Amino acid sequence: AEEFYIRLGHVMENGHSFAIGTGEFDDFKQNNDEAEVFQFGWGYSPNSSVDLYASWTEAELDRPGANLDDVTAILVGTRIKFK
């Protein structure tokens, strides 16, 4: 199996952060599989106890002999830290 993934991000002084990532995967689960993924993420920390985040992911898998749909995932959430 071969795998390549790169992600770049930036944290801003106002509590926002952004990241973008892309990857390619060959023969990962089965021989002759070819997969690609693209991701974008955003985060915001208004204070030290609360984090908000959202991400968007597009994934594609090409497998010989299979008719597979692309996958789109949108995630939104929060994390609250109790001290």
Side-chain angles (χ1 to χ4, degrees):
E2 294 180 16
E3 178 180 345
F4 172 79
Y5 184 83
I6 188 167
R7 185 175 194 175
L8 300 172
H10 180 70
V11 177
M12 301 172 66
E13 292 181 16
N14 61 4
H16 290 273
S17 60
F18 300 92
I20 189 168
T22 187
E24 292 184 9
F25 310 88
D26 293 329
D27 305 326
F28 195 68
K29 287 287 185 180
Q30 293 184 12
N31 286 339
N32 300 317
D33 275 358
E34 293 182 6
E36 294 180 2
V37 65
F38 176 80
Q39 298 176 311
F40 176 78
W42 163 85
Y44 177 61
S45 297
N47 58 53
S48 63
S49 298
V50 177
D51 294 328
L52 306 171
Y53 58 88
S55 69
W56 169 65
T57 302
E58 287 284 330
E60 173 185 305
L61 173 62
D62 293 325
R63 177 173 288 162
N67 185 13
L68 303 171
D69 292 332
D70 295 350
V71 175
T72 300
I74 298 172
L75 306 172
V76 177
T78 187
R79 179 172 61 179
I80 300 172
K81 303 172 208 167
F82 298 96
K83 297 181 181 183

